[in-house]
Amino acid sequence: MTTPSKIVESPKRVTPLARVRNIGIMAHIDAGKTTFSERVLFYTGKNYKIGEVHDGAATMDFMIQEQERGITIQSAATTCFWKEHRINLIDTPGHVDFTVEVERSLRVLDGAVGVFCAVGGVQPQSETVWRQAKKYGVPVIAFVNKMDRTGANFDNVVEEIRDKLGATPLPIIIPYGQEDQFAGVIDVLANELITFDEKDKGVTMTRGPVPAEYAEKVVEAQKYMFECLAEEDEEIMNKYLAEEKASNEDLMRAIRKATISGSIVPVTCGTALRNKGVQPMLDAVIAYLPSPADVGPVKGIDVKTELPMTRSASDTEPFTALAFKIMTDPYVGKLFFIRVYAGMSTRGITVLNPRTGKRERIGRLLQMHANRREEIDEVFSGDIAAAVGLSDVTTGDTLTVVDSPMLLESVKFPDPVIAMSIEPATAGDRDKLLMSLCQLAQEDPTFRTKTDQETGQMIIAGMGELHLDIIRDRLMREFKVACEVGAPEVAFRETFLAKAESNTKYAKQSGGRGQYAHVIIEVTPGEVGTGIVVENKVVGGRIPKEFHKPIEEGLREACEKGILAGYPLVDIQIDVLDGSYHDVDSSEMAFKICASMALKDAGKKGRMILLEPIMKMEVNTPDDHMGDVIGDISSRRGKIIEVETKKANTRILAHVPLAQLFGYVTALRSLTKGRASSVAEPSHFEQVPSNIQTEIITKRNTKKA
């Protein structure tokens, strides 16, 4: 934690840094994130009425595609105030196809609210967003939503947070009743019942004594809280051993400290749709989640010396910010969302982008409220805002002062797992389509576009069928480009199973100066996730240094194009062992071509395989359809991982190849008469069975021919 003496605040700052909270709302799809966000905006006075997701009127779901489908596609940022604290809030999507929005949001946030369905509990995407939060060290408070639903069980969700997420849940708010009897919440620390007036949509809260039938349950919760905090705080431990009662102030201090360190997860509950439990959750955000000053200095690299350096969240530090999201506004143009980590900035200043080495001018600064914007003159340390006027900036770029530049850690995104061809409806739309695809790819780092060199087709790739369907829809509605798309295809990968060597010469003579290059390479299978590692082990000047880079470029380009069936190679190490050159005929281009030929030759000699994306799928089905669902999953080459029965419902967890899941939702509805549901997310890559690999290679080669 940063000591207060290191934080110097500008006199122009309206809200002190200690009263700023940068939080995100994250959850599995349909857990109620956006509904919860709408209540936050209503109770904080940002909105005068509540917008409902099911009506297509939610403030934070402003895209037409979000309103039609009732899901969140893009993360939306806003700012509101609660009890003299400023909350910069980002509502993130729950669908796995848009996990990039969660990733880049958590990269710049100081805390998060994890929303869990009281019926569904910890679901697959809950685990994914939890891992993302832990990856960036973001402390989390849990909100168990939908306590009024049939099958709601607060205690089960708390246990699942412990068992499935490996966290230490600490209930600070417990439910008063559940399912159709849910009537309010109980504040464990204050030992009070909180009820919400339905006439004014829960604005009026009434605190009173805990009903007698809940007294024992509250005592148990308080005892568990005392024991849990004693393990985290020495002062609480001393009082626990001495059998003394700790004050509420001591307990709150200990909860805050343990939450920020990530050792505990405070748990609250309610039903956002029925306007119960949201305000106590806001109180918990203020009390227990960190301010930018609590997070500590931001770490980065000194651009000039390439040595590690830090900067505190002080307004007097050199300006340092991270661009974490790009969005196109029809009236303003490109908006670059930034998180300011240090210093302050005004409109019109010049900053440096260390990635490009170019200077950029911030023309305007905007405070965003979903898709509405407000002009502001300055941004301070800890702020989240949007900048206008930048040009060569992409997601994950650092914006910093020119004379003392600092490079922050960027954001890493997963590779696409599904692809399809796309063509303009008319030849005249081709250029417009290319420009539109380029703009969408700049907004979304998990969306890729390329032209197949052999077929000439444009290929788009993304994280799932829904992802690409949204892209197609946006092309037609926002960019007014009529287009036709092909059937979705799986984005396979290629790799080596065994070591292979190649001794390749490239010699070409055509009257004048010729072309000559000679390289010897060895390809070794690498560890999963290592990507492509190229190491030059040539000694004694056998290949001059000026040809080392072209060799690596040739190898990496060949990896991208693939060998077996035109899919990118992954997880291999390529060692350049030896070679030779000609004083006159050798050139950079010759060595680049030779390196590419050498890798293809090694591929013919070594044992190569195709890898396919495997999805982690969860199916929730009534018990009477369980056998049919499991049988169908097995027929799709799926592997059952876990089967869990709750009342009359069965939860099936399985690993299934993505290639077998196209159209699965429709098939599942037909199989279970519409009573089952499923969700799937990318898990890992596995070797394709040999008979299927032969079919894929034959099909690809036939297509190229």
Side-chain angles (χ1 to χ4, degrees), residues 157-309:
V157 180
V158 171
E159 284 307 307
E160 287 189 1
I161 291 173
R162 184 191 313 280
D163 297 338
K164 294 183 179 180
L165 302 180
T168 302
L170 180 67
I172 58 173
I173 297 287
I174 61 175
Y176 175 51
Q178 59 187 26
E179 299 185 339
D180 59 346
Q181 299 298 310
F182 181 71
V185 298
I186 296 173
D187 186 332
V188 175
L189 266 175
N191 195 22
E192 290 178 335
L193 169 67
I194 307 173
T195 55
F196 304 85
D197 192 338
E198 295 182 5
K199 294 178 183 177
D200 60 5
K201 298 181 179 179
V203 172
T204 302
M205 296 187 300
T206 304
R207 287 180 174 264
V210 174
E213 66 270 24
Y214 273 81
E216 187 176 339
K217 193 173 182 66
V218 173
V219 170
E220 288 177 7
Q222 290 172 339
K223 182 181 177 184
Y224 170 73
M225 178 183 289
F226 200 10
E227 292 172 350
C228 187
L229 293 175
E231 295 179 9
E232 305 294 335
D233 188 273
E234 187 176 345
E235 190 175 326
I236 301 295
M237 173 62 83
N238 292 335
K239 291 189 176 184
Y240 179 75
L241 294 174
E243 297 184 356
E244 296 178 10
K245 183 176 174 62
S247 68
N248 283 359
E249 290 74 18
D250 288 339
L251 292 171
M252 290 182 70
R253 176 191 53 76
I255 293 172
R256 178 177 175 79
K257 178 183 173 185
T259 303
I260 293 174
S261 70
S263 56
I264 69 160
V265 177
V267 183
T268 72
C269 65
T271 167
L273 186 62
R274 304 299 173 207
N275 311 311
K276 294 180 174 70
V278 176
Q279 298 98 314
M281 181 71 224
L282 281 170
D283 290 338
V285 165
I286 300 307
Y288 306 125
L289 287 182
S291 73
D294 295 315
V295 175
V298 63
K299 297 177 182 178
I301 301 295
D302 188 318
V303 175
K304 295 179 180 178
T305 64
E306 297 187 356
L307 295 174
M309 68 183 300

Side-chain angles (χ1 to χ4, degrees), residues 93-111:
H95 199 288
V96 65
D97 283 20
F98 311 108
T99 189
V100 59
E101 296 289 342
V102 185
E103 184 82 18
R104 58 183 172 189
S105 297
L106 288 172
R107 167 64 181 86
V108 298
L109 293 170
D110 302 323

Side-chain angles (χ1 to χ4, degrees), residues 563-598:
I563 299 172
L564 271 181
Y567 296 108
L569 272 78
V570 294
D571 303 335
I572 57 172
Q573 171 150 342
I574 309 172
D575 295 324
V576 184
L577 304 176
D578 203 356
S580 61
Y581 73 103
H582 189 277
D583 288 332
V584 177
D585 291 346
S586 288
S587 66
E588 291 185 0
M589 183 56 68
F591 271 100
K592 190 174 181 179
I593 294 171
C594 184
S596 178
M597 292 169 57

Side-chain angles (χ1 to χ4, degrees), residues 622-641:
D623 287 351
D624 48 348
H625 293 292
M626 180 181 69
D628 293 335
V629 172
I630 290 177
D632 184 59
I633 291 173
S634 299
S635 72
R636 296 171 184 269
R637 296 194 284 124
K639 298 174 185 175
I640 305 298
I641 302 171

Side-chain angles (χ1 to χ4, degrees), residues 600-653:
K600 291 177 183 176
D601 180 56
K604 294 174 184 176
K605 295 176 180 178
R607 187 183 170 198
M608 290 193 68
I609 58 167
L610 284 182
L611 300 172
E612 63 179 340
I614 303 297
M615 307 296 282
K616 182 180 179 182
M617 185 172 75
E618 180 184 283
V619 180
N620 285 283
T621 177
D623 287 351
D624 48 348
H625 293 292
M626 180 181 69
D628 293 335
V629 172
I630 290 177
D632 184 59
I633 291 173
S634 299
S635 72
R636 296 171 184 269
R637 296 194 284 124
K639 298 174 185 175
I640 305 298
I641 302 171
E642 182 184 330
V643 177
E644 180 185 10
T645 301
K646 293 181 178 179
K647 294 186 178 180
N649 197 60
T650 299
R651 174 177 169 270
I652 301 166
L653 204 60

Side-chain angles (χ1 to χ4, degrees), residues 543-560:
I543 300 177
K545 286 186 177 180
E546 62 263 31
F547 298 135
H548 290 185
K549 187 175 180 182
I551 289 173
E552 180 171 348
E553 289 175 352
L555 291 170
R556 291 193 180 277
E557 284 185 14
C559 287
E560 188 63 32

Side-chain angles (χ1 to χ4, degrees), residues 412-438:
K412 294 181 181 178
F413 302 106
D415 291 326
V417 296
I418 187 173
M420 60 174 62
S421 61
I422 186 168
E423 294 294 336
T426 65
D429 283 336
R430 187 172 182 84
D431 289 344
K432 192 175 180 182
L433 175 62
L434 285 169
M435 290 177 61
S436 302
L437 289 174
C438 182

